[in-house]
Amino acid sequence: MAPSAIPTPAPSAAPSSDAELLQFLQQLEAPLKNLPQLAKDFEATFHDLALTSTSQFLPTPVRVLPSGDETGQFLALDLGGTNLRVGVVELFGRSSLDTGGERLCIPTQGSWNIPEHLKSSTAEDLFHWVSERIRDVLRETSTTAEVMELGITFSFPMEQTSHTSALLMPMGKGFTFTNTNDLAALLTTAYAQTSAAGEPAIKIVSITNDSVATLLSAAYAHTTPHSKTAAGIIAGTGTNATCMCPIGKLHPAKKPSGGNAGGILLNTEWSINGTAPPLQPYVTDWDRHLDARNEKPGFQPLEEMVGGRYLGELVRLVGLDVFTQHSLPAGMYHEYGVDTKLCGDVEAASTDSDALALLADYFSADGGWGLGLETAAVFKRVCTTISTRAAALVAAATVGVLGVNDELEDGVDIVVGYTGTILEKYPGFKERCEGFMREIVRRMRGSEEGATVTLVEARDGGILGAAVLAAMVKGGST
Ligand code: GLC
């Protein structure tokens, strides 16, 4: 989001003492006080959303997880909130491991930042640009194929009735085009318009949300005879999760034909506002201020508390209230003037003077931080408090999602696949999240015994999951 100067929020009382700072931070620590209850509240809300909501807990056409034996070569595309990735993915299947080979490889790939202007342009313009990037990757690929089969991962809500049909629903993350567009038609038309004679054609085989791609790629790469990959979660620019849901627990309009037997993978879109009730007691004035300034106020309350797009902005807003006694660098008065990456770096700094050096460097164009060691230490504390709240909320929501399919009941070790820059790169975030999940499960059970819950990175999950699903569709196993 382009930073723009805004009036600062009306400051609450400025903390002139440690006691006041503590009081500020305690508001943000409130969710940590009773995480098992929060997880139960999430679970109850999620059951309700599966049964009633038409914008969340969306059915996908996937009814089973991959076996790990899927093979084939696919073009894979992952359109996220910040980046586009395109790659050629080769799946060799589990048996390749027996002969000392790899399970998969990605011989060619490219990654690009999505230009800001395309987020508020038309869907046609965005897909024209996407098509050009597909051509860039295909030019690097030594293929003689006339047609490349394509798996697509898309990091936005969509309505899906088959593997190749997906209608875009209202999007967050700064994307503002609103008409309900058919993703496959948009891409096919744009690619036909941009590609030249002699270049391979593309054939869309599968489309899925990035949460589903995360679960499928984790299940492809990590399931063992002793564990079950039961959910996929994302904390990156945005946040989301997928889980298997018994058909009987769904709204009739969401049920596939053929009765109530079996389960279906849901794109939960857990960040959207049906998830608000369990969060309500923990929403602070800083969250309310951030939401009121968002281009879609009220749309994704959970995302605004845990998404990488927002953590830096929350630190900035809290900082404005904490540092009222000081004059701050101009960047602190600019909306989105604090990057989430800065917060992670400051948190990881081993000394206060390292943290101060990072702040001075980041704000160098605004004359540096210039406030001394103590303020760097307080800034670091604010970052830790906000990222810890985010990790706790993701953990509680994940345990809630596992409850949708009673995954914690049958004593098998549970694997939760994850992707997203916050879980992958924010220092200590994944460890805190996993620690909270385990603590919640232990306290719910009232015992140290029982199966474990482990977070496993679904590396390259977006493009890998797209290829795994394409292989499943081709093998007729979805
Ligand atoms: C947003 C989108 C969702 C996506 C998530 C993670 O919340 O609505 O579809 O999965 O971000 O990228």
Side-chain angles (χ1 to χ4, degrees):
M1 187 180 289
S4 63
I6 53 148
T8 60
S12 341
S16 52
S17 66
D18 278 0
E20 269 172 325
L21 170 64
L22 218 60
Q23 215 182 9
F24 274 13
L25 299 186
Q26 271 170 0
Q27 292 179 53
L28 295 157
E29 285 162 356
L32 277 65
K33 298 272 173 329
N34 196 354
L35 284 177
Q37 186 55 48
L38 181 57
K40 280 185 201 148
D41 293 347
F42 272 124
E43 184 184 330
T45 299
F46 293 161
H47 280 298
D48 190 48
L49 290 170
L51 203 58
T52 59
S53 172
T54 50
S55 58
Q56 289 181 260
F57 286 68
L58 305 167
T60 71
V62 186
R63 307 282 305 267
V64 293
L65 294 181
S67 63
D69 295 325
E70 292 76 7
T71 56
Q73 186 198 58
F74 299 93
L75 183 62
L77 181 158
D78 175 14
L79 185 68
T82 309
N83 297 309
L84 167 73
R85 273 182 88 180
V86 180
V88 173
V89 178
E90 292 178 18
L91 304 174
F92 305 119
R94 248 185 321 198
S95 58
S96 159
L97 298 176
D98 303 338
T99 52
E102 299 289 321
R103 206 184 278 235
L104 62 108
C105 77
I106 306 176
T108 325
Q109 61 173 315
S111 174
W112 298 264
N113 267 327
I114 301 167
E116 275 311 309
H117 72 274
L118 289 177
K119 299 182 180 174
S120 51
S121 180
T122 62
E124 284 74 12
D125 286 347
L126 175 66
F127 282 93
H128 184 90
W129 177 80
V130 169
S131 298
E132 291 292 5
R133 304 294 74 80
I134 292 178
R135 294 178 68 208
D136 290 344
V137 167
L138 287 178
R139 273 194 287 267
E140 301 280 308
T141 309
S142 52
T143 178
T144 51
E146 286 178 12
V147 180
M148 288 296 281
E149 291 176 315
L150 172 65
I152 300 176
T153 291
F154 193 61
S155 308
F156 297 94
M158 52 199 168
E159 196 182 310
Q160 276 204 280
T161 47
S162 75
H163 290 297
T164 52
S165 100
L167 297 181
L168 303 188
M169 294 165 72
M171 303 158 80
K173 300 178 186 168
F175 285 76
T176 50
F177 43 83
T178 48
N179 37 351
T180 312
N181 289 303
D182 179 337
L183 186 55
L186 277 166
L187 182 61
T188 313
T189 310
Y191 187 79
Q193 283 166 355
T194 52
S195 62
E199 292 180 352
I202 55 169
K203 179 175 178 232
I204 298 173
V205 178
S206 64
I207 303 173
T208 199
N209 180 262
D210 55 343
S211 57
V212 175
T214 297
L215 173 56
L216 296 182
S217 67
Y220 184 79
H222 296 294
T223 305
T224 70
H226 313 292
S227 69
K228 178 175 179 194
T229 309
I233 62 168
I234 301 184
T237 308
T239 184
N240 198 2
T242 184
C243 61
M244 200 54 96
C245 177
I247 305 278
K249 293 188 178 182
L250 287 174
H251 184 282
K254 296 185 190 174
K255 292 183 183 180
S257 54
N260 273 350
I264 189 164
L265 275 192
L266 299 181
N267 166 14
T268 66
E269 291 294 341
W270 72 7
S271 67
I272 293 180
N273 45 27
T275 306
L279 295 171
Q280 219 55 63
Y282 307 114
V283 173
T284 65
D285 282 348
W286 301 295
D287 298 305
R288 276 186 271 276
H289 177 86
L290 183 147
D291 179 59
R293 303 282 309 171
N294 190 277
E295 65 282 321
K296 287 189 179 176
F299 180 48
Q300 291 180 308
L302 179 60
E303 191 145 310
E304 288 176 347
M305 295 166 99
V306 312
R309 186 168 183 238
Y310 301 109
L311 296 183
E313 178 63 354
L314 283 172
V315 167
R316 186 187 76 84
L317 291 171
V318 175
L320 287 178
D321 276 355
V322 167
F323 297 121
T324 47
Q325 316 289 333
H326 308 268
S327 75
L328 296 168
M332 281 293 286
Y333 299 104
H334 289 171
E335 209 168 29
Y336 292 87
V338 171
D339 267 0
T340 298
K341 166 132 186 10
L342 170 73
C343 304
D345 291 346
V346 167
E347 241 186 87
S350 39
T351 63
D352 292 346
S353 46
D354 287 351
L356 183 61
L358 285 162
L359 288 166
D361 184 48
Y362 182 84
F363 290 110
S364 57
D366 299 328
W369 183 247
L371 297 182
L373 275 183
E374 232 173 78
T375 59
V378 171
F379 190 97
K380 186 171 173 178
R381 226 167 129 191
V382 172
C383 296
T384 307
T385 308
I386 285 173
S387 63
T388 303
R389 180 180 75 153
L393 292 176
V394 172
T398 303
V399 175
V401 144
L402 290 171
V404 170
N405 199 28
D406 299 325
E407 300 286 6
L408 296 165
E409 305 294 298
D410 57 9
V412 179
D413 287 343
I414 294 296
V415 169
V416 174
Y418 72 85
T419 54
T421 40
I422 297 299
L423 273 159
E424 286 169 25
K425 300 208 173 117
Y426 196 103
F429 191 95
K430 177 237 149 183
E431 289 73 14
R432 276 177 275 174
C433 188
E434 189 175 64
F436 285 132
M437 271 169 38
R438 290 183 168 173
E439 181 193 327
I440 295 169
V441 172
R442 190 167 29 84
R443 282 171 58 191
M444 277 172 152
R445 284 196 187 120
S447 131
E448 299 285 336
E449 306 293 306
T452 58
V453 184
T454 305
L455 281 176
V456 172
E457 183 179 351
R459 195 173 296 238
D460 301 315
I463 53 173
L464 183 53
V468 169
L469 183 55
M472 289 168 72
V473 173
K474 284 208 69 193
S477 66
T478 57

CSV table of all heavy atoms in Angstrom, one decimal, residues 339-351 354-359 361-362 379-380 383 425-427:
chain,number,residue,atom,x,y,z
A,339,ASP,N,7.7,-1.1,7.8
A,339,ASP,CA,7.6,-2.4,7.2
A,339,ASP,C,7.6,-3.5,8.2
A,339,ASP,O,8.3,-3.5,9.2
A,339,ASP,CB,8.8,-2.7,6.4
A,339,ASP,CG,8.7,-2.3,4.9
A,339,ASP,OD1,7.6,-1.8,4.6
A,339,ASP,OD2,9.6,-2.4,4.2
A,340,THR,N,6.8,-4.6,8.0
A,340,THR,CA,6.8,-5.7,8.9
A,340,THR,C,8.2,-6.3,8.9
A,340,THR,O,8.6,-6.8,10.0
A,340,THR,CB,5.7,-6.7,8.4
A,340,THR,OG1,4.5,-6.1,8.4
A,340,THR,CG2,5.7,-8.0,9.2
A,341,LYS,N,8.9,-6.2,7.8
A,341,LYS,CA,10.3,-6.8,7.8
A,341,LYS,C,11.2,-6.1,8.8
A,341,LYS,O,12.0,-6.8,9.5
A,341,LYS,CB,10.8,-6.7,6.4
A,341,LYS,CG,12.3,-6.9,6.3
A,341,LYS,CD,12.7,-7.9,5.2
A,341,LYS,CE,14.2,-8.3,5.1
A,341,LYS,NZ,15.1,-7.9,6.2
A,342,LEU,N,11.0,-4.8,8.9
A,342,LEU,CA,11.8,-4.0,9.9
A,342,LEU,C,11.5,-4.6,11.3
A,342,LEU,O,12.4,-4.8,12.1
A,342,LEU,CB,11.5,-2.5,9.9
A,342,LEU,CG,12.1,-1.7,11.1
A,342,LEU,CD1,13.6,-1.6,10.9
A,342,LEU,CD2,11.4,-0.4,11.2
A,343,CYS,N,10.2,-4.8,11.6
A,343,CYS,CA,9.8,-5.3,12.9
A,343,CYS,C,10.5,-6.7,13.2
A,343,CYS,O,11.0,-6.9,14.3
A,343,CYS,CB,8.3,-5.5,13.0
A,343,CYS,SG,7.5,-4.0,12.6
A,344,GLY,N,10.5,-7.6,12.2
A,344,GLY,CA,11.2,-8.9,12.4
A,344,GLY,C,12.7,-8.7,12.7
A,344,GLY,O,13.3,-9.3,13.5
A,345,ASP,N,13.3,-7.8,11.9
A,345,ASP,CA,14.7,-7.6,12.1
A,345,ASP,C,15.1,-7.0,13.4
A,345,ASP,O,16.0,-7.5,14.1
A,345,ASP,CB,15.3,-6.6,11.0
A,345,ASP,CG,15.2,-7.2,9.6
A,345,ASP,OD1,15.1,-8.5,9.5
A,345,ASP,OD2,15.4,-6.5,8.6
A,346,VAL,N,14.2,-6.1,13.9
A,346,VAL,CA,14.5,-5.4,15.2
A,346,VAL,C,14.3,-6.5,16.3
A,346,VAL,O,15.1,-6.6,17.2
A,346,VAL,CB,13.5,-4.2,15.4
A,346,VAL,CG1,13.5,-3.8,16.9
A,346,VAL,CG2,13.9,-3.1,14.5
A,347,GLU,N,13.3,-7.3,16.1
A,347,GLU,CA,13.0,-8.4,17.1
A,347,GLU,C,14.2,-9.3,17.2
A,347,GLU,O,14.5,-9.8,18.3
A,347,GLU,CB,11.8,-9.1,16.8
A,347,GLU,CG,10.7,-9.1,17.8
A,347,GLU,CD,9.5,-9.9,17.5
A,347,GLU,OE1,9.6,-11.1,17.9
A,347,GLU,OE2,8.6,-9.4,16.8
A,348,ALA,N,14.8,-9.6,16.1
A,348,ALA,CA,15.9,-10.6,16.0
A,348,ALA,C,17.2,-10.0,16.5
A,348,ALA,O,18.2,-10.7,16.7
A,348,ALA,CB,16.0,-11.2,14.6
A,349,ALA,N,17.3,-8.7,16.6
A,349,ALA,CA,18.6,-8.0,17.0
A,349,ALA,C,19.0,-8.5,18.4
A,349,ALA,O,18.2,-8.6,19.3
A,349,ALA,CB,18.4,-6.5,17.0
A,350,SER,N,20.3,-8.9,18.5
A,350,SER,CA,20.6,-9.5,19.8
A,350,SER,C,20.9,-8.5,20.9
A,350,SER,O,20.8,-8.8,22.0
A,350,SER,CB,21.8,-10.5,19.6
A,350,SER,OG,22.7,-10.0,18.7
A,351,THR,N,21.2,-7.2,20.5
A,351,THR,CA,21.4,-6.2,21.5
A,351,THR,C,20.5,-5.0,21.2
A,351,THR,O,20.1,-4.8,20.1
A,351,THR,CB,22.8,-5.7,21.6
A,351,THR,OG1,23.2,-5.1,20.4
A,351,THR,CG2,23.8,-6.9,21.9
A,354,ASP,N,22.1,-3.0,18.5
A,354,ASP,CA,21.8,-3.5,17.1
A,354,ASP,C,20.4,-3.0,16.7
A,354,ASP,O,20.2,-2.6,15.5
A,354,ASP,CB,21.9,-5.0,17.1
A,354,ASP,CG,23.3,-5.5,17.2
A,354,ASP,OD1,24.3,-4.7,17.2
A,354,ASP,OD2,23.5,-6.7,17.4
A,355,ALA,N,19.5,-3.1,17.6
A,355,ALA,CA,18.1,-2.7,17.2
A,355,ALA,C,18.1,-1.2,16.9
A,355,ALA,O,17.5,-0.8,15.9
A,355,ALA,CB,17.2,-2.9,18.4
A,356,LEU,N,18.8,-0.4,17.7
A,356,LEU,CA,18.9,1.0,17.4
A,356,LEU,C,19.5,1.3,16.0
A,356,LEU,O,19.1,2.2,15.3
A,356,LEU,CB,19.7,1.7,18.5
A,356,LEU,CG,19.8,3.2,18.4
A,356,LEU,CD1,18.5,3.9,18.5
A,356,LEU,CD2,20.7,3.8,19.6
A,357,ALA,N,20.6,0.5,15.7
A,357,ALA,CA,21.3,0.7,14.4
A,357,ALA,C,20.3,0.4,13.2
A,357,ALA,O,20.3,1.1,12.2
A,357,ALA,CB,22.5,-0.2,14.3
A,358,LEU,N,19.5,-0.6,13.4
A,358,LEU,CA,18.5,-1.0,12.4
A,358,LEU,C,17.5,0.1,12.2
A,358,LEU,O,17.1,0.5,11.1
A,358,LEU,CB,17.8,-2.3,12.8
A,358,LEU,CG,18.6,-3.6,12.6
A,358,LEU,CD1,17.9,-4.7,13.4
A,358,LEU,CD2,18.7,-4.0,11.1
A,359,LEU,N,17.0,0.7,13.3
A,359,LEU,CA,16.0,1.8,13.2
A,359,LEU,C,16.6,3.0,12.6
A,359,LEU,O,16.0,3.7,11.7
A,359,LEU,CB,15.5,2.1,14.6
A,359,LEU,CG,14.6,1.1,15.3
A,359,LEU,CD1,14.4,1.3,16.8
A,359,LEU,CD2,13.2,1.1,14.6
A,361,ASP,N,19.1,3.1,10.5
A,361,ASP,CA,19.3,2.9,9.1
A,361,ASP,C,17.9,3.0,8.3
A,361,ASP,O,17.8,3.6,7.3
A,361,ASP,CB,19.9,1.5,8.9
A,361,ASP,CG,20.2,1.2,7.5
A,361,ASP,OD1,20.8,2.1,6.9
A,361,ASP,OD2,19.9,0.1,7.0
A,362,TYR,N,16.9,2.3,8.9
A,362,TYR,CA,15.6,2.3,8.2
A,362,TYR,C,15.0,3.7,8.0
A,362,TYR,O,14.5,4.0,7.0
A,362,TYR,CB,14.6,1.4,9.0
A,362,TYR,CG,13.2,1.3,8.4
A,362,TYR,CD1,13.0,0.3,7.4
A,362,TYR,CD2,12.2,2.1,8.8
A,362,TYR,CE1,11.8,0.2,6.8
A,362,TYR,CE2,11.0,2.0,8.2
A,362,TYR,CZ,10.7,1.0,7.2
A,362,TYR,OH,9.5,0.9,6.6
A,379,PHE,N,10.7,-0.2,21.3
A,379,PHE,CA,10.2,-0.5,20.0
A,379,PHE,C,10.2,-2.0,19.8
A,379,PHE,O,9.2,-2.6,19.3
A,379,PHE,CB,11.0,0.2,18.9
A,379,PHE,CG,10.5,0.1,17.5
A,379,PHE,CD1,9.8,1.2,17.0
A,379,PHE,CD2,10.7,-1.0,16.7
A,379,PHE,CE1,9.3,1.1,15.7
A,379,PHE,CE2,10.2,-1.1,15.4
A,379,PHE,CZ,9.5,0.0,14.9
A,380,LYS,N,11.3,-2.6,20.2
A,380,LYS,CA,11.5,-4.1,20.1
A,380,LYS,C,10.4,-4.8,20.9
A,380,LYS,O,9.8,-5.8,20.4
A,380,LYS,CB,12.9,-4.4,20.6
A,380,LYS,CG,13.2,-5.8,20.4
A,380,LYS,CD,14.7,-6.0,20.8
A,380,LYS,CE,15.1,-7.5,20.8
A,380,LYS,NZ,16.5,-7.7,21.1
A,383,CYS,N,7.1,-4.7,19.0
A,383,CYS,CA,7.2,-5.7,17.9
A,383,CYS,C,6.9,-7.1,18.4
A,383,CYS,O,6.1,-7.8,17.9
A,383,CYS,CB,8.5,-5.7,17.2
A,383,CYS,SG,8.9,-4.2,16.4
A,425,LYS,N,9.5,-16.7,7.5
A,425,LYS,CA,10.7,-15.8,7.7
A,425,LYS,C,10.7,-14.9,8.9
A,425,LYS,O,11.7,-14.4,9.3
A,425,LYS,CB,10.8,-14.9,6.4
A,425,LYS,CG,10.9,-15.7,5.1
A,425,LYS,CD,11.7,-14.9,4.1
A,425,LYS,CE,12.0,-15.7,2.9
A,425,LYS,NZ,11.4,-15.2,1.7
A,426,TYR,N,9.5,-14.6,9.5
A,426,TYR,CA,9.5,-13.7,10.6
A,426,TYR,C,10.2,-14.4,11.8
A,426,TYR,O,9.8,-15.5,12.2
A,426,TYR,CB,8.1,-13.3,11.0
A,426,TYR,CG,8.1,-12.1,11.9
A,426,TYR,CD1,7.7,-10.8,11.4
A,426,TYR,CD2,8.4,-12.2,13.3
A,426,TYR,CE1,7.7,-9.7,12.3
A,426,TYR,CE2,8.4,-11.1,14.1
A,426,TYR,CZ,8.0,-9.8,13.6
A,426,TYR,OH,8.0,-8.7,14.4
A,427,PRO,N,11.3,-13.9,12.3
A,427,PRO,CA,12.1,-14.6,13.3
A,427,PRO,C,11.2,-15.1,14.5
A,427,PRO,O,10.6,-14.4,15.2
A,427,PRO,CB,13.1,-13.6,13.8
A,427,PRO,CG,13.2,-12.6,12.7
A,427,PRO,CD,11.8,-12.5,12.1
